[in-house]
Amino acid sequence: MYGWIWRHLPGPAAAKLAQAVVLVAAVVALLLFVIFPWIEPMLPLNDVTTT
């Protein structure tokens, strides 16, 4: 998968590296600011039981 992404990014190696870093940052930001807050109420993190 990473090879496919690398082959399809335009430009020389330095430009591909910069684009890959931007893509990773965009995915991380999407996960942190959109996906995780949306799914957090559905997770059973606060359902703690002790016996």
Side-chain angles (χ1 to χ4, degrees):
M1 179 173 130
Y2 299 113
W4 182 87
I5 293 171
W6 186 261
R7 286 190 304 274
H8 285 82
L9 290 174
K16 288 182 180 189
L17 181 62
Q19 292 172 17
V21 168
V22 169
L23 282 173
V24 168
V27 168
V28 168
L30 178 70
L31 286 171
L32 285 175
F33 296 116
V34 177
I35 302 300
F36 291 156
W38 173 70
I39 197 110
E40 191 267 334
M42 300 175 211
L43 296 175
L45 298 176
N46 292 331
D47 296 340
V48 178
T49 59
T50 57
T51 58

